[in-house]
């Protein structure tokens, strides 16, 4: 069995009500150490108030080759954007 | 730089006719300044060159802790000690960001560390010079980290997304390093004559090793072309070195110290400082392993790795036992 510590992806939420954001990865033997290491590596300058650690093997990712078909449904629906609709200036801001 | 003399996996640049459709599409993305991400298709040589460059960069951050760690227990005040400790801790973090970036290409950190320990990967030549006294610690922060910033600011625009993001993060933290170094040197340069002499001596000894960090002259740098075309490298060695000299000379003058190179002279026509070449034979000799500290540095790294094995193994065994117990419940 490999003695390499597993890889964890680290997500941090900053102070201003933003959602958790991926900041990088690190190695740790378990979740508890992953969070401690994340504190030392990614919050040395008050970057965050909350840390999520997810073992990298548990992350499912979309593949770049499928980019076209995957996002096609949204590309073809321009009417989802508010600018699709011309509203006369007289109506005021909307 | 922190990554010097990275051999691109091929020599010369492929022209468009030689490229496959996939390679041409890849080059177009680079030319449009699109970032390449881990799961995107990339030429094998691009991947191999990046792993080598990011790996060497990471090794430099980690080995770079040694010359400074040497002075943590001997810092002149508690405040300077705390500052130096924070700086050295940052370097460990920078190493980690870079190993992580390399890992996105499928090369494990342990494998990179193994290659370093077997002498099959290198780190920056600068860390094979000794830090003899406290003035050297100031000069390292100011000149060595200063040179690193020049390189890393350019690399924020590198084409590989994870590398670029690591550089952005590192640059944010690095200016603390340069400023604390300059601040320490300022205190000495404006201090007693003996302190000023120490500051001068440190600048004299570290100047040429610092400008060597950017690697050989462009005319000698045979492997750069493809890396520049791929935007793995963004500016040439000589461009970066000139930028460093131009920004550093006025800083030396402000301290009231003598310039460490009699060849430094403002060139009105070029709008840049002229300066002397370092001794390139010395540079190549240090790269080959014959610098003043090469043997010690590598030994310290290998010892740290081996002495820490029981901690790594113990924590992993504990984690496995715990998860087996949870699974059984």
């Amino acid at each position: 069995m490999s003695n390499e510590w597993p890889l964890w992806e680290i997500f941090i939420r900053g102070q201003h009500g933003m959602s958790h954001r991926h900041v990088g990865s690190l190695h740790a033997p378990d979740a508890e150490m992953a969070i401690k290491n994340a504190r030392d590596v990614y919050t040395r300058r008050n970057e965050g108030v909350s840390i999520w650690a997810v073992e990298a093997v548990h992350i499912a990712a979309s593949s770049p080759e499928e980019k076209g078909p995957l996002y096609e449904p949204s590309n073809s629906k321009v009417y989802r954007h508010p600018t699709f609709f011309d509203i006369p200036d007289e109506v005021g801001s909307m | 730089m922190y990554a010097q003399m990275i051999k691109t996996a091929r020599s010369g640049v492929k022209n468009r006719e030689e490229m496959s459709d996939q390679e041409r599409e890849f080059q177009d993305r680079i030319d449009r300044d699109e970032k390449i991400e881990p799961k995107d298709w990339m030429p094998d040589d691009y991947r191999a060159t990046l792993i080598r460059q990011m790996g060497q960069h990471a090794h430099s951050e980690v080995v770079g802790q040694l010359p400074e760690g040497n002075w943590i227990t001997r810092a002149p005040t508690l405040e300077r000690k705390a500052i130096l400790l924070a700086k050295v801790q940052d370097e460990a973090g920078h190493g980690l960001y870079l190993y992580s970036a390399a890992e996105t290409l499928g090369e494990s950190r342990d494998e990179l560390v193994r290659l370093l320990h077997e002498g099959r990967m290198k780190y920056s030549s600068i860390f094979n010079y000794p830090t003899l006294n406290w003035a050297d610690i100031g000069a390292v922060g100011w000149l060595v980290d200063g040179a690193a910033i020049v390189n890393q600011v350019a690399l924020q625009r590198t084409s590989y997304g994870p590398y670029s993001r690591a550089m952005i993060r590192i640059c944010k933290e690095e200016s603390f390093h340069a400023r604390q170094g300059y601040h320490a040197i300022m205190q000495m340069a404006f201090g007693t004559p003996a302190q000023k002499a120490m500051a001068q001596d440190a600048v004299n000894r570290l100047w040429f090793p610092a400008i060597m960090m950017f690697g050989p002259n462009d005319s000698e740098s045979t492997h750069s072309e493809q890396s520049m075309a791929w935007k793995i490298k963004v500016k040439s060695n000589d461009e970066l070195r000139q930028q460093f000299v131009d920004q550093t000379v006025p800083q030396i003058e402000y301290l009231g110290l003598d310039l460490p190179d009699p060849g430094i002279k403002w060139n009105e026509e070029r709008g840049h400082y002229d300066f002397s070449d370092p001794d390139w034979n010395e540079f190549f000799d240090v790269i080959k392993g014959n610098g003043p500290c090469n043997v010690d540095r590598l030994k310290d790294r290998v010892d740290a790795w081996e002495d820490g094995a029981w901690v790594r193994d113990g924590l992993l065994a504990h984690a496995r036992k715990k998860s087996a117990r949870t699974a059984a419940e």
Side-chain angles (χ1 to χ4, degrees):
Chain A
M1 203 184 282
S2 160
N3 269 358
E4 197 161 333
W5 285 355
L7 189 67
W8 299 74
E9 299 299 331
I10 304 301
F11 302 79
I12 305 257
R13 179 158 59 75
Q15 296 178 2
H16 306 292
M18 306 293 277
S19 48
H20 283 76
R21 198 167 153 245
H22 183 243
V23 291
S25 48
L26 50 77
H27 290 269
D30 58 23
E32 194 187 334
M33 284 299 294
I35 287 179
K36 284 194 174 133
N37 288 351
R39 181 216 40 205
D40 289 345
V41 178
Y42 294 110
T43 65
R44 286 198 303 281
R45 291 176 176 81
N46 306 321
E47 289 93 336
V49 292
S50 167
I51 300 172
W52 287 349
V54 184
E55 220 182 309
V57 293
H58 297 309
I59 291 190
S62 63
S63 97
E65 292 91 69
E66 291 164 14
K67 202 161 65 183
L70 192 62
Y71 301 113
E72 194 281 330
S74 81
N75 288 337
S76 62
K77 294 174 183 61
V78 286
Y79 46 80
R80 281 177 170 161
H81 296 278
T83 47
F84 180 78
F85 305 94
D86 274 331
I87 304 289
D89 289 346
E90 297 94 286
V91 181
S93 72
M94 182 178 285
Chain B
M1 195 12 58
Y2 274 28
Q4 294 159 324
M5 315 247 334
I6 299 299
K7 284 203 167 94
T8 309
R10 52 168 292 122
S11 57
V13 186
K14 251 192 195 182
N15 62 42
R16 286 188 80 80
E17 283 71 55
E18 293 173 292
M19 291 181 193
S20 67
D21 288 349
Q22 225 169 4
E23 286 173 324
R24 222 168 292 139
E25 203 180 307
F26 178 81
Q27 189 62 51
D28 289 342
R29 291 189 61 195
I30 302 255
D31 294 342
R32 285 196 302 267
D33 280 331
E34 277 180 36
K35 294 285 184 239
I36 307 301
E37 295 297 336
K39 292 178 88 183
D40 294 348
W41 183 87
M42 60 187 81
D44 291 343
D45 292 347
Y46 176 85
R47 177 187 301 269
T49 307
L50 261 175
I51 289 175
R52 232 172 283 167
Q53 177 162 332
M54 293 189 291
Q56 193 186 110
H57 200 153
H59 296 329
S60 299
E61 300 286 353
V62 172
V63 176
Q65 294 177 106
L66 295 169
E68 292 182 297
N70 184 33
W71 280 88
I72 290 173
T73 55
R74 289 176 279 173
T77 66
L78 185 59
E79 187 184 53
R80 288 284 173 204
K81 180 177 180 168
I83 291 168
L84 185 58
L85 201 56
K87 178 191 188 292
V88 172
Q89 189 192 13
D90 274 355
E91 305 297 358
H94 295 179
L96 182 82
Y97 308 155
L98 286 156
Y99 285 126
S100 301
E103 285 187 299
T104 61
L105 292 176
E107 187 79 336
S108 83
R109 181 177 67 178
D110 284 15
E111 174 63 12
L112 291 169
V113 168
R114 192 176 64 81
L115 291 170
L116 171 71
H117 291 178
E118 288 175 0
R120 290 160 64 196
M121 282 186 87
K122 298 198 184 309
Y123 52 86
S124 176
S125 57
I126 188 71
F127 302 118
N128 291 313
Y129 290 87
T131 43
L132 301 177
N133 57 48
W134 180 253
D136 286 13
I137 296 302
V140 164
W142 164 37
L143 298 174
V144 175
D145 290 69
I149 291 170
V150 168
N151 180 52
Q152 290 171 160
V153 164
L155 280 176
Q156 292 182 95
R157 290 186 288 115
T158 192
S159 60
Y160 187 55
Y163 193 23
S164 158
R165 291 191 284 274
M167 286 300 109
I168 290 168
R169 203 180 161 83
I170 287 176
C171 284
K172 272 190 201 155
E173 300 180 345
E174 201 88 68
S175 76
F176 149 56
H177 299 180
R179 289 173 70 116
Q180 64 82 32
Y182 192 69
H183 193 258
I185 281 283
M186 258 168 58
Q187 281 201 324
M188 298 187 76
F190 300 143
T192 66
Q195 287 171 330
K196 185 173 181 185
M198 279 176 75
Q200 181 71 60
D201 168 64
V203 173
N204 290 349
R205 272 184 294 106
L206 285 163
W207 173 257
F208 283 113
I211 67 169
M212 283 178 197
M213 288 173 65
F214 299 93
N217 290 127
D218 294 349
S219 54
E220 306 292 319
S221 185
T222 46
H223 299 286
S224 292
E225 279 175 54
Q226 183 65 66
S227 285
M228 297 278 278
W230 277 331
K231 296 187 188 163
I232 291 177
K233 241 177 126 161
V234 180
K235 284 187 178 177
S236 81
N237 296 354
D238 285 335
E239 263 180 282
L240 292 166
R241 188 170 11 247
Q242 182 70 61
Q243 198 183 326
F244 173 71
V245 171
D246 287 347
Q247 79 177 36
T248 308
V249 169
Q251 295 168 352
I252 301 174
E253 286 169 341
Y254 176 82
L255 295 171
L257 298 178
D258 297 332
L259 296 173
D261 162 18
I264 295 176
K265 225 173 126 195
W266 179 251
N267 183 324
E268 195 64 54
E269 207 174 305
R270 291 199 309 125
H272 293 290
Y273 285 98
D274 290 336
F275 56 94
S276 311
D277 263 339
D279 177 355
W280 289 118
N281 291 329
E282 177 184 316
F283 171 77
F284 289 113
D285 210 33
V286 173
I287 290 270
K288 258 187 248 147
N290 304 322
C293 300
N294 294 59
V295 175
D296 289 344
R297 298 290 189 240
L298 200 57
K299 182 182 179 301
D300 287 347
R301 281 314 313 156
V302 173
D303 286 352
W305 179 257
E306 287 175 357
D307 293 348
W310 69 274
V311 179
R312 293 192 302 276
D313 292 349
L315 285 172
L316 195 60
H318 174 70
R320 281 177 180 152
K321 212 161 97 183
K322 217 168 49 179
S323 75
R325 200 178 297 143
T326 320
E329 273 165 14

